[in-house]
Amino acid sequence: ARFGDDRKFYLYDKGGEYIAGDGSHLTLTAGGFVKAAGAFSGSSTAHVVGATTLGSTLQTTGSVKVGTAAGSGADAFLYTAGTAAHVGIQWDADGNTEGMLIGGADDHGVDFKFFGETSGKYIHWNMARDELVLAATTKLNFHDDSSGGGEHIFASANGHLEVNAGTTLDMTAPTVDVNASTAVTLDTPSVVIASATASKPRLELKNTTNDTNSAILRFVKDKGSAGAANDNVGIIEFYGDDASQDQVLFGRIRTRVAVHTNGQEGGKMQFAVASHDGELQPGLTIGDGDAEDEVDVTIGNGADSLTTIAGDLDIPNGGFALGSDASGDMYYNNSSGVLTRVAVGSDNHVLTLDG
């Protein structure tokens, strides 16, 4: 060791290993690398040019920089202590042009764990399972934190995953496949299925079990209290455009409670259509009768309604009544094919039996 004329303290020889000071900075320079076998401690800024090997602890109360300024950075490596002996964390100063922080190497991973302020909440990249774990109820937020719009994914309990959005949740794909072994529950006031394709959308309920049963479309009214007569239990409405492109209710199928008494329950189903002025009127009503297993049916609406029967009318049990029938009245088809009544005591009627 010796002092040179350039005020540098040379070690070994004058090949490049020296210590120098300028009144404010202390510089350690080596032709190969600087090696510290013990702890390396500093209370100011440490500048390292070239390779430096530390056998123990690097400690500083100031700054540690790799490079001297923006654009002059160099790669930095933290190696693992395991038998795989590979890079744990690497700062690739010019990776993807502007630098890249790399954990592990391809086929040689490392674990990362970041803890939150709450006990038991952390993010863990599990190298062995190739999984990113959000422990407990840790949230994955989007756009901003949870104090903002509320867009996040988290597990509110073991086995319960929630996807939340403050306003809108969009799913866009050619096919959205939802596999639920028990049920799919939608808690919402409205579900709209829309398509701009002709004859679409189509709602299909498909059962593929090899038996005699089928799919079921069920309407349930569960009001949370005792039922009452005229409670609606299910409605299907049919809307379309009129000539002014107003959306008009052209048809409806509705089922109501007719009798709500326990043990005597009876229902009423009504098929209605818009009648001449857009007003909905019933055309077919099927209802509970006044005896067990009796069902009454009303066809048409008003005295001027016309009911057309294509084919024969078979009345196996009982007769039929038209108007104010009296005992002995008869009916026949007139020249226009309209069923006409001949009342008892009517004059000027001739009944001809042909054949």
Side-chain angles (χ1 to χ4, degrees), residues 47-269:
H47 295 277
V48 178
V49 181
T52 300
T53 301
L54 301 179
S56 183
T57 303
L58 171 64
Q59 177 179 338
T60 178
T61 58
S63 301
V64 176
K65 298 181 180 179
V66 180
T68 58
S72 66
D75 293 353
F77 301 87
L78 297 177
Y79 291 94
T80 66
T83 57
H86 60 82
V87 175
I89 299 177
Q90 175 188 351
W91 168 247
D92 187 349
D94 58 357
N96 278 0
T97 305
E98 295 296 331
M100 179 183 295
L101 184 63
I102 302 171
D106 190 21
D107 198 30
H108 290 286
V110 292
D111 280 34
F112 286 95
K113 185 176 284 189
F114 298 92
F115 285 92
E117 189 68 18
T118 303
S119 176
K121 291 191 176 183
Y122 55 85
I123 296 176
H124 178 202
W125 170 254
N126 188 320
M127 171 267 296
R129 299 180 65 88
D130 295 325
E131 293 178 350
L132 180 64
V133 179
L134 278 69
T137 58
T138 303
K139 295 180 180 179
L140 177 61
N141 285 284
F142 298 86
H143 190 70
D144 50 20
D145 60 25
S146 57
S147 64
E151 293 74 41
H152 55 258
I153 301 173
F154 79 110
S156 59
N158 188 18
H160 189 162
L161 181 66
E162 294 189 19
V163 180
N164 297 297
T167 303
T168 303
L169 177 63
D170 285 333
M171 290 188 293
T172 302
T175 301
V176 177
D177 191 1
V178 179
N179 295 305
S181 60
T182 304
V184 175
T185 302
L186 300 177
D187 187 2
T188 177
S190 177
V191 175
V192 178
I193 305 174
S195 174
T197 304
S199 301
K200 297 293 189 309
R202 178 183 66 200
L203 181 62
E204 179 177 332
L205 303 179
K206 184 177 182 179
N207 182 285
T208 59
T209 303
N210 184 14
D211 60 17
T212 59
N213 299 313
S214 65
I216 298 174
L217 180 63
R218 175 178 293 182
F219 295 82
V220 177
K221 171 65 175 180
D222 187 358
K223 61 192 293 184
S225 60
N230 294 322
D231 279 351
N232 290 328
V233 296
I235 297 176
I236 302 176
E237 296 181 333
F238 303 87
Y239 275 82
D241 291 322
D242 65 5
S244 298
Q245 208 172 350
D246 296 326
Q247 284 284 293
V248 175
L249 177 59
F250 283 95
R252 182 185 67 198
I253 302 173
R254 180 179 66 190
T255 298
R256 281 181 167 177
V257 175
V259 178
H260 65 287
T261 304
N262 188 26
Q264 301 177 28
E265 297 86 353
K268 180 180 181 181
M269 176 175 285

Side-chain angles (χ1 to χ4, degrees), residues 270-273 275 281-286 297-308:
Q270 187 181 82
F271 294 75
V273 296
S275 176
Q281 296 294 345
L284 175 64
T285 303
I286 306 172
V297 178
T298 301
I299 301 175
N301 184 62
D304 294 331
S305 294
L306 175 63
T307 301
T308 302

Side-chain angles (χ1 to χ4, degrees), residues 290-315:
D290 56 6
E292 184 180 359
D293 299 332
E294 176 187 329
V295 176
D296 295 335
V297 178
T298 301
I299 301 175
N301 184 62
D304 294 331
S305 294
L306 175 63
T307 301
T308 302
I309 300 175
D312 297 335
L313 175 63
D314 186 9
I315 307 176

